[in-house]
Amino acid sequence: MQLFSVLLLIGSFSVLGGLLASQTDIHMLTRSHPGFIEVVLSPHQSVLTIESQIMGTGYRSAFDMDQNQTRLIIDTDEHPGFYIISLIKNGTILTTRYINAVCQKQTQLDLNQTYVIQSPEFPLSYHAGMRCSWNITKSTQNIWFKMSALELGNNCLTSFQMDFKDKLCSKTRENKSLIVTDDSVFLTFSSLRPGKPSSLLVEVVPEIPSPANLTAVSHGNSMTLTWDWSGPEYDDLLCVIEYVVYPSAVPSTMKRNCSDTPYTLDTSMHRGQLYQIRIFSETLFWESEKTDYVNLTSECHLEVFISRGNETNIFSDGYPNHLQPFSNCSWKINTDYESYLKVQIHDLNFCYNPIGCRSTCLHIDDKNICSRSPKKKEYLLQNNSTLITLNTTNEIGGRGFNLSIKAVDSPPPFGETFQLHSEQGFINVSWQPYSGSKRLLRYVITYRTVPEVAYHVKPIHVNTTHYVINTRSHLGQLFALRLSYLTEGGEGTPSGVKIIRAVCGYTTFLHHNQSLTFSSPEVSGNYLSNVYCKWTILNNQSLWYKINFIKMDVENSIMCQKDYVEFSANQKYCGNRTGSFVIRNSKAVIAFVTDDSNSGMGFSGTITALYPPSSKPTNPSISKTQYGLLVKWTEPLVNPGLVRGYRVRYKHADRPLVRVIIVSANENAAFINTRSYPGCLYEVWISAIGETEDSKETNHMYSYSECGSRLRVSNTTEYISTPFYPEFPEVTHLCSWIVSSDHDYTLTIKEVHKTNFSTNSRDQDYLMVNDIKYLISNVTRGMKLSFYGKNTLSILMRVGKTSVLTEIRPINGHLASTNAYPAGHVTTSLVASGTNPDAGAPS
């Protein structure tokens, strides 16, 4: 605030002086030069006074200017600062100027020369508002500037402005001097407030290089460091080896004579850890640039040979106290050619905090063990050499690890032969005992059922040379088996695989009327895949077999190419079916075969041994009676005692339905009631019934059933009609009548009912009188034929779906009157065609 008031006052004086100057036309010009201020006045005739004052100080000077004296030099070397220059005449200030004194120093130094830089007013305290600058250069290359803070200032040279501001300080011993490697030093001094005096000593010293080509080689518990040195020798010059053990950021240093290379660094406390090493040179007042880090992991390797049957222990560095962070250690373990290595983990703890420990693992060959408490404690390495490594990170802090390694017998290959024998419900495996020199722990049987993929492994005691495999759940399936030896070194190379099928089915004898049940092997309600079962049934009585399917649910396929049940003579069945059939042989072979795809519920059935059939009945015959057909035969010629009855089959000629009459073995005749079908053509054949099946059939016999009668025409009218008149018949009927009379008589068509029948049927239906055929299609109502009484009349009527009524009446007064039409006959029916309106004519 005081400084501002002074400036304001001076400004007022300056304005007043300007006014006076303008009145007297005296002008003052000020120029600042290095070391002085030049004051120039305009020509004048007065005696004037120039007064100079350094702002903020008590320094004041006055200079008298004679008439016509226009130039004044004010020396500023001793007192640089902010000057106030006033022009005074007769005690009155004419004008005032403000100007900074130029304080610039420039010098060039050679080797071993010195130069002192002092604050203004030195050794007095400097004042506010002072500014100075120094520019120091060197005359040659390969030299540096050494700058030292002298004791006088007792401060950190806060008014000196330079690149190394505040790096020089007389308050501490560590930074009283520094080296400037630039070609020049430019320094300014500027004070905003008063301060104590300060001074710097600038010296020119020889350039000192950094060490070069730092290398490091690790071996055992140490590292060998080498470097190149080509610098000068000073009494206080040393090379500093600086290193950190990753991940630590705190460096350790070792000081050596720069020419004292190589250097051995002890790494026994940090085996397998990453060292970051660099080097630089230093003196009491300077240090060189530091080289780039050389990164090298200290050696942490151990190689051990273990003889057969012996073991050794290895553990991590620092166990059981602390696991080293960021370390890389390895252990090479070897044994003899015929041994394997077995690792037992006794302790493993890599972290205090198990959640943060994920990347630190113990590597044993290709196995990574990272868990704090591994479930598996034992590892068999099927090799005679292994490399164990441990790479740690900073996520550690546990005890480390402790394990033992034992050299054990490697397993021999299986060299003996073995035999397989499949029986009902099991497979018996047998082999020769081991005769080698190694200590055998177990025999191992490995087997699987086809098409399964997983193997079943069964260790067998060394004193046993056989094993029984239960096959009740795998009947008919293939088993693949192999054997191997087991030692402490693991399982050896197994034998070749042998294939054998589990027994499914059996061979047995059946006597007459004996039965047995056979079924597919099933598991959980479905039959198995890739199965072959075979049942062989024999007898010594030349019996046949009757197969009865209780159930069958077998995968269906075209021609039963996938899963099927096969019987003798290549009869294959699949899908779903029930029922029975006969095997016409005294030997029955039943096979059940499945593939490895879909399955079903399987099948079950029974087989019964029965007598074969006899030969067919002999001497068959058929004859008509009033009420039906009488069929007769005699017993078969071959095995008549095996007949259990007779089967008579018959059907109408134009109907597909076959009807059956069964009679006992003691009967040799059967009656077919034909009253419902008079005049119908019947087809009849016969077979003998056996236990397994019927005999062969007799030849088919044909006969019409009875239809028609003999009529004697006297003095009454007779009527002839188709069966069931006036209804249409269901089948074709062929009826015949023989008419005789002592009188003349007439045959008149009284009624004809016709349906729309086809052309073929029209030609087949007819009325034949005395061998003269009249087609029904031409027969109409009212048609009349006359006959002599002494002639016998033959009438034959063949009709289908046509009903006809005819009247036979005597003539010459012999007619007895009647108005009644006869009731319909019960006769055989036949289909007829449509009608024709024309009168009938002989065909």
Side-chain angles (χ1 to χ4, degrees), residues 713-719 807-810 814-818 820:
V713 180
S714 57
N715 58 352
T716 59
T717 300
E718 300 291 339
Y719 292 92
E807 177 188 70
I808 301 176
R809 178 191 294 268
H814 300 289
L815 176 63
S817 120
T818 180

Side-chain angles (χ1 to χ4, degrees), residues 160-171:
F160 283 94
Q161 304 297 321
M162 49 189 167
D163 293 339
F164 45 83
K165 180 182 179 181
D166 298 337
K167 289 187 178 180
L168 289 176
C169 188
S170 59
K171 293 181 179 180

Side-chain angles (χ1 to χ4, degrees), residues 190-233:
S190 177
S191 61
L192 298 178
R193 58 183 62 85
K196 295 182 179 181
S198 301
S199 63
L200 301 175
L201 175 63
V202 181
E203 301 176 78
V204 178
V205 296
E207 181 180 289
I208 304 174
S210 299
N213 302 324
L214 175 64
T215 60
V217 178
S218 181
H219 51 84
N221 291 331
S222 64
M223 287 184 183
T224 300
L225 310 179
T226 60
W227 61 89
D228 296 334
W229 175 253
S230 60
E233 296 293 337

Side-chain angles (χ1 to χ4, degrees), residues 602-613:
F603 77 94
S604 64
T606 61
I607 181 170
T608 306
L610 300 173
Y611 287 125

Side-chain angles (χ1 to χ4, degrees), residues 631-664:
V631 183
K632 293 183 178 182
W633 63 89
T634 59
E635 64 182 14
L637 296 177
V638 179
N639 294 330
L642 302 182
V643 175
R644 296 293 182 263
Y646 295 97
R647 199 182 311 273
V648 179
R649 293 184 175 87
Y650 69 91
K651 72 182 187 71
H652 305 145
D654 54 353
R655 285 290 182 89
L657 178 64
V658 177
R659 301 178 183 273
V660 179
I661 299 174
I662 297 177
V663 298
S664 68

